[in-house]
Amino acid sequence: MVKNTITIKPIEHPEPVTDNSHDLGIICATTSKSADIMFLVTLLLLWITPVSASVFPNLDHIRPSASLRDQRQAAQDLIVRVLGVEKSQRFHVVLLENLDPEFKDTINLLSNEKNVTISATSGYSAALGFYHFIKTYCGCQFTWAGEQLNLPSSFPTIPKPGITIKTNDRFKYYQNVCTVSYSFVWWDWKRWERHIDWMAMNGINLPLAFTGQEAIFQRVYRKMGFTDQQLQDHFGGPAFLAWSRMGNMHGWGGPLPQSWIDGQLVLQHKILTRMRQLGMTPVLPGFAGHVPMAITKLYPNAKVTRLSDWGHFNNTYCCTYLLDFHDPLFQEIGTALIKEMQSEFGVDHVYNADSFNEMDPSSSDPEYLKSAGSMVYKAMSTADPQAIWLMQGWLFSHNTDFWMPPQVKALLTSVPQGKMIILDLFAEVLPVYSNTSSFYGQPFIWCMLHNFGGTMELYGVKDTVNEGPFKARSYPNGTMIGTGLTPEGIFQNEAIYELMNENVLATKPRNLTVWFSNFAKNRYEQSNEFADKAWQLLRISVYNNTDRLHDHSKNVIPTSLPKLKHPLMPDIWYRPSDLYGAWMNMVNASDYLWNSTLFRYDLVDIARDSLQLLSFKYYTEIITAYNSKNMNMLQTSGGYLIHLLIDLEHLISSDSHFLLEPWIRDARNWGNNTNEKDLMEYNARNQITLWGPTGQIRDYAAKQWSGVFTGYYTRRWMEFINDLTQCLEMGIKFDDDQFKVKVLNTIEIPFTMEKTEKFVTSKGDSVQIARNLYKKYLPAMKSGFFKHIQNWSLQGEKTFRKLSQQWVKNNWTIEKEK
């Protein structure tokens, strides 16, 4: 136990006030006002707990760079942006010096009927306290899809000394290296500003900040003699930068316009300024070793290796060069990068570098891996002696055949303890800490990955999200220092992210029955028995995954390329009747909640997911019909499927959250001329469809958006059904490979090459459409097919296909007659 000497500085009594001209937020502000001695003593006792030495003293310098005065103002300004000037005057922020040895944050909430005082130890924790109050005491909600911010005229009273809450961990991390491409790529400052507010309100203090890095790399490489053309061959296009940064491929989607590079640099300054004002520590990029191919011409003695073909790209885009970790150029480039960023952005000391993301090292020798890690860190620490290396732990989950314990330990122990932070990236499904003795002593952050490619299937592992962080904190000799969100794409499954975010303050796992009821109540501003039933059904079904989502949402029928041989088999881990029941209850709730925009969004989302599941029955009938040469079944079920896709388009076109147009519009806005605008649109269209010149990672980032259904998915399925029909009529065999080539050239590539001449807005009444579609598809939802599908899915791919097709063959005529 280490004793701390604490100097108690005078602070103003934090009475709730409305006059923002008084700067009560600075702990060292001197005041002659009398204070309530009992309140002051109580507050200090709550703030100052018995102090021990920091578990990881190497991290002690990772603290907010902004002054308390600036952080307080930033938090106060955030409240104004969220609530508006008039309502925000009821909230007053006070900031106090953080005296916790592990730098966990403390928040005190004090209120009367009119005003609230939020005392906290940082700008972001003040924002967290603000959101905790309006959510817990006022029944509000602030999410990606929108907000419900109707405050009561009279606040619940929290008398002196108030309630004091403390964050469970020091850090709350946010972002996957892919999120910047799948979700943020086209954002302007207005979008970023609101999202940073959301981040602060959820306690995030360690966000990835990768925007604008190409400008820094460009400067470093230009000084080394690289030409702009050589760098264009290296940088990916705007929508593919995440993977060119990680060395998975290079050049695809380019050439990257200079206007983009310059514009992103300007945007990064705004992002970093706001993050720092709120007390966050932005994570900047480090050098992982991936270099332009022209390095062999400029530096013929440089020692490089070519990485493997990550995504089946041709030689133009695949097999990036990895600079040998011991080559002198590695230190030169790595150090120059950090120094150039320091000059441009300032210093935060935390850097992300992933040399082997889904790319196996050239050697599995532990000594090689240990040496490689030490060289990556040396490049950081030479430029910044206080550097901390933050690394995604995805590689340890992605390829367990290569990353055996000796290899994992070698890499993790290649730097001093506490100089590396590991993101246990997929901990809600495949935690690594428990198989690596808590990452062999290195500090780690327990993360929820949840989403792949920004796809939109309703999905979650509620129990692990609810309990996992608590188990990790109690792990023997554990080294957990935080929680994190690491989705590849956002804007989906908001309940799961709200649940995960509350792990910042939760003192124990929550009663999820109660939690989901409160979530719906806050979201729609009132309790409703039907909405509550809907969310309870979602809780026990789509949000109760226990099979690790083995298909990663890749076999969803409407958005997957049709095929006959080895038919698609989606992962069905829940009872479909529960999902359909949720839709029914949302329809019933619409009589009362129709005026809530968040309710309308959820109604469309649940109906969309239900129709998505229904489509699998028709697909199975189509495959069965072809294999049994049943033309009547093929044409009937094929017609049902096409009509369902048309209905899906009609449904989602009624809500602005499910439109293609905003994605395209925002992309084109980044172009300075017609050629650049067209390039941006091509990037936007290609990423969500072919993901490569000829479908290298086809449909991985599929989006169920209006505009994609009509121009892409429905056309593919129509062609599939027509071709199957013709094959039966002509007595010839259907060829999946020929179909794939035909669709690529006639539908997929043309879709990616389209130019948007005008943008459309949502149309139609979401509530009425969802009601009508529920009534229309209710007979199909009652099919016996869906009583068995969960059990079939559990029995594996081969058995699933056999049993599902056998059931269709035995029951199709009976059901059709019904």
Side-chain angles (χ1 to χ4, degrees):
M1 185 74 78
V2 176
K3 287 188 176 181
N4 273 1
T5 302
I6 300 172
T7 302
I8 300 177
K9 301 177 182 179
I11 60 173
E12 288 202 24
H13 187 150
E15 282 285 355
V17 297
T18 58
D19 182 2
N20 292 333
S21 65
H22 297 293
D23 189 18
L24 306 186
I26 310 304
I27 193 170
C28 57
T30 304
T31 177
S32 59
K33 292 182 181 179
S34 59
D36 185 322
I37 300 300
M38 176 174 282
F39 169 73
L40 180 60
V41 170
T42 303
L43 182 60
L44 288 170
L45 287 174
L46 288 166
W47 230 272
I48 304 166
T49 55
V51 175
S52 62
S54 174
V55 176
F56 293 105
N58 284 338
L59 297 176
D60 286 351
H61 62 290
I62 308 300
R63 300 194 175 197
S65 58
S67 67
L68 288 176
R69 182 185 299 272
D70 288 345
Q71 290 183 65
R72 174 197 172 275
Q73 188 60 54
Q76 201 76 58
D77 291 345
L78 178 152
I79 296 172
V80 174
R81 287 191 297 275
V82 172
L83 294 180
V85 175
E86 183 177 351
K87 290 182 179 180
S88 68
Q89 292 177 355
R90 302 177 69 184
F91 292 83
H92 185 72
V93 174
V94 177
L95 287 197
L96 302 173
E97 184 179 357
N98 193 334
L99 300 174
D100 186 87
E102 295 181 15
F103 216 65
K104 297 176 183 178
D105 281 288
T106 308
I107 304 162
N108 180 271
L109 300 174
L110 184 68
S111 69
N112 57 32
E113 293 182 353
K114 295 182 179 180
N115 303 300
V116 181
T117 295
I118 305 162
S119 301
T121 47
S122 62
Y124 61 82
S125 62
L128 174 64
F130 161 68
Y131 189 43
H132 179 78
F133 181 84
I134 66 172
K135 179 164 65 171
T136 306
Y137 293 92
C138 304
C140 294
Q141 196 174 103
F142 187 89
T143 65
W144 301 327
E147 58 275 337
Q148 188 284 104
L149 296 171
N150 275 336
L151 296 175
S153 57
S154 178
F155 285 144
T157 298
I158 306 176
K160 297 176 185 177
I163 62 161
T164 298
I165 48 182
K166 194 169 186 176
T167 58
N168 290 313
D169 311 292
R170 177 170 180 178
F171 293 117
K172 175 67 180 295
Y173 176 80
Y174 178 51
Q175 287 183 50
N176 188 297
V177 292
C178 299
T179 324
V180 295
S181 290
Y182 282 135
S183 294
F184 306 157
V185 54
W186 310 121
W187 284 7
D188 58 11
W189 169 239
K190 183 179 179 181
R191 294 288 301 277
W192 266 109
E193 184 174 47
R194 186 188 188 278
H195 201 65
I196 294 172
D197 288 346
W198 173 86
M199 289 161 56
M201 290 166 64
N202 286 285
I204 291 162
N205 62 357
L206 193 66
L208 196 65
F210 264 26
T211 303
Q213 64 177 275
E214 279 65 38
I216 307 302
F217 272 104
Q218 188 180 59
R219 293 178 195 173
V220 171
Y221 286 137
R222 279 174 172 174
K223 290 176 183 178
M224 294 177 65
F226 288 90
T227 67
D228 286 349
Q229 180 59 54
Q230 290 168 338
L231 296 183
Q232 285 179 350
D233 293 340
H234 180 63
F235 296 144
F240 303 98
L241 283 172
W243 301 277
S244 68
R245 289 166 179 170
M246 292 185 288
N248 300 128
M249 56 82 181
H250 59 87
W252 172 244
L256 193 63
Q258 188 62 43
S259 62
W260 169 274
I261 294 174
D262 296 340
Q264 291 286 294
L265 182 64
V266 172
L267 182 59
Q268 173 75 330
H269 275 285
K270 294 179 181 179
I271 292 169
L272 292 177
T273 297
R274 180 59 53 78
M275 287 178 172
R276 288 166 175 162
Q277 286 172 342
L278 286 163
M280 299 176 185
T281 300
V283 178
L284 295 174
F287 181 59
H290 311 114
V291 290
M293 296 184 73
I295 195 169
T296 57
K297 297 179 180 178
L298 289 170
Y299 297 89
N301 294 325
K303 188 177 180 182
V304 296
T305 56
R306 293 197 74 173
L307 294 169
S308 59
D309 182 2
W310 170 76
H312 307 292
F313 285 86
N314 61 29
N315 288 332
T316 306
Y317 307 113
C318 88
C319 313
T320 302
Y321 280 142
L322 179 66
L323 185 60
D324 186 89
F325 298 98
H326 288 278
D327 192 292
L329 283 175
F330 193 99
Q331 297 303 314
E332 179 182 334
I333 297 172
T335 301
L337 174 70
I338 302 296
K339 288 183 176 179
E340 194 69 50
M341 283 195 300
Q342 290 173 344
S343 175
E344 182 71 28
F345 301 134
V347 181
D348 297 286
H349 305 300
V350 185
Y351 307 96
N352 168 261
D354 296 303
S355 300
F356 308 120
N357 188 72
E358 299 186 3
M359 306 289 284
D360 291 345
S362 59
S363 171
S364 61
D365 184 350
E367 288 303 314
Y368 167 78
L369 297 170
K370 193 176 188 72
S371 177
S374 67
M375 291 297 103
V376 172
Y377 180 70
K378 181 181 178 182
M380 297 176 185
S381 59
T382 299
D384 180 0
Q386 292 185 299
I388 302 296
W389 178 9
L390 182 138
M391 182 177 70
Q392 292 195 146
W394 174 244
L395 68 170
F396 305 133
S397 303
H398 183 260
N399 187 353
T400 54
D401 290 334
F402 180 93
W403 292 102
M404 302 292 282
Q407 287 73 30
V408 176
K409 185 174 184 179
L411 184 59
L412 295 182
T413 58
S414 64
V415 302
Q417 192 174 76
K419 288 289 188 176
M420 172 188 281
I421 298 174
I422 310 299
L423 301 178
D424 202 345
L425 208 74
F426 201 21
E428 87 276 22
V429 173
L430 292 172
V432 176
Y433 76 89
S434 55
N435 298 323
T436 56
S437 301
S438 200
F439 289 99
Y440 301 105
Q442 294 288 18
F444 78 94
I445 294 176
W446 194 99
C447 298
M448 180 186 81
L449 197 162
H450 181 266
N451 179 270
F452 295 89
T455 53
M456 300 166 65
E457 187 173 15
L458 295 183
Y459 155 75
V461 283
K462 62 176 178 60
D463 290 334
T464 309
V465 170
N466 190 33
E467 302 166 6
F470 295 94
K471 291 181 180 179
R473 290 188 194 103
S474 62
Y475 187 75
N477 300 312
T479 55
M480 177 179 164
I481 58 171
T483 57
L485 298 175
T486 52
E488 288 190 354
I490 62 172
F491 303 123
Q492 34 71 35
N493 295 290
E494 295 194 337
I496 293 299
Y497 291 88
E498 281 283 301
L499 178 64
M500 178 62 192
N501 282 334
E502 289 187 10
N503 281 318
V504 174
L505 296 175
T507 56
K508 61 182 180 180
R510 285 127 295 180
N511 179 318
L512 293 183
T513 302
V514 174
W515 188 92
F516 273 88
S517 292
N518 288 336
F519 173 83
K521 179 182 178 181
N522 289 357
R523 196 160 175 83
Y524 310 141
E525 199 187 345
Q526 58 182 286
S527 293
N528 179 275
E529 62 172 319
F530 296 114
D532 183 66
K533 288 178 182 177
W535 281 98
Q536 295 303 331
L537 287 169
L538 295 175
R539 172 181 64 84
I540 64 173
S541 59
V542 292
Y543 293 134
N544 190 36
N545 180 269
T546 56
D547 70 356
R548 299 179 175 180
L549 190 64
H550 57 73
D551 74 336
H552 289 181
S553 299
K554 286 188 285 191
N555 289 327
V556 173
I557 297 306
T559 57
S560 297
L561 180 69
K563 60 179 181 176
L564 177 69
K565 189 178 180 181
H566 304 301
L568 299 164
M569 193 200 89
D571 182 9
I572 310 298
W573 64 91
Y574 55 90
R575 291 183 303 181
S577 59
D578 290 334
L579 175 60
Y580 300 148
W583 186 6
M584 178 193 71
N585 278 285
M586 291 294 279
V587 167
N588 291 336
S590 66
D591 288 334
Y592 310 92
L593 303 175
W594 62 270
N595 204 32
S596 164
T597 56
L598 285 174
F599 172 80
R600 286 174 171 265
Y601 166 77
D602 291 339
L603 174 61
V604 171
D605 203 25
I606 293 167
R608 175 201 57 76
D609 208 63
S610 298
L611 291 174
Q612 165 190 296
L613 179 58
L614 273 170
S615 69
F616 184 66
K617 176 178 182 290
Y618 301 137
Y619 170 69
T620 304
E621 290 171 356
I622 290 167
I623 299 300
T624 305
Y626 177 84
N627 289 334
S628 59
K629 297 180 172 55
N630 187 332
M631 181 66 78
N632 182 31
M633 184 195 295
L634 176 59
Q635 292 180 335
T636 302
S637 299
Y640 285 157
L641 178 59
I642 298 306
H643 278 98
L644 182 144
L645 296 179
I646 293 171
D647 285 339
L648 256 172
E649 168 73 24
H650 186 42
L651 171 72
I652 58 182
S653 68
S654 68
D655 190 288
S656 59
H657 296 91
F658 300 92
L659 302 181
L660 169 66
E661 278 73 13
W663 176 253
I664 303 298
R665 181 195 60 226
D666 293 345
R668 293 190 70 87
N669 283 343
W670 274 97
N672 281 354
N673 54 52
T674 300
N675 288 337
E676 289 184 0
K677 289 178 182 294
D678 290 348
L679 175 67
M680 301 300 170
E681 179 164 1
Y682 178 77
N683 269 253
R685 287 176 174 271
N686 183 273
Q687 188 213 80
I688 63 173
T689 54
L690 286 175
W691 214 120
T694 55
Q696 278 69 15
I697 315 178
R698 179 187 271 106
D699 300 324
Y700 180 83
K703 301 294 184 292
Q704 294 189 23
W705 290 339
S706 172
V708 189
F709 267 98
T710 51
Y712 193 77
Y713 302 133
T714 303
R715 290 184 60 199
R716 293 196 308 193
W717 283 101
M718 289 177 67
E719 198 70 35
F720 181 64
I721 294 165
N722 287 338
D723 283 6
L724 289 177
T725 302
Q726 289 180 18
C727 286
L728 278 189
E729 289 175 341
M730 299 172 65
I732 61 176
K733 186 177 180 181
F734 179 86
D735 189 312
D736 278 288
D737 292 333
Q738 288 182 8
F739 173 76
K740 189 174 181 180
V741 172
K742 175 184 176 182
V743 167
L744 174 68
N745 292 316
T746 61
I747 297 174
E748 295 173 330
I749 289 179
F751 178 85
T752 67
M753 302 299 292
E754 287 183 21
K755 309 293 186 300
T756 304
E757 297 181 358
K758 63 178 182 178
F759 295 103
V760 299
T761 57
S762 57
K763 55 186 178 183
D765 181 352
S766 299
V767 171
Q768 193 58 51
I769 294 170
R771 285 173 172 172
N772 293 340
L773 291 179
Y774 178 79
K775 184 177 181 180
K776 176 179 179 179
Y777 286 99
L778 181 58
M781 288 186 277
K782 291 182 176 180
S783 167
F785 181 86
F786 295 108
K787 294 179 181 179
H788 302 285
I789 194 171
Q790 180 186 16
N791 182 51
W792 294 337
S793 184
L794 292 172
Q795 295 186 54
E797 206 168 311
K798 197 170 182 180
T799 303
F800 183 102
R801 291 172 180 143
K802 177 182 177 182
L803 294 177
S804 61
Q805 292 181 43
Q806 187 63 49
W807 188 95
V808 166
K809 187 178 292 186
N810 294 338
N811 293 275
W812 184 80
T813 302
I814 299 173
E815 290 214 330
K816 182 175 178 291
E817 290 176 353
K818 286 183 181 180

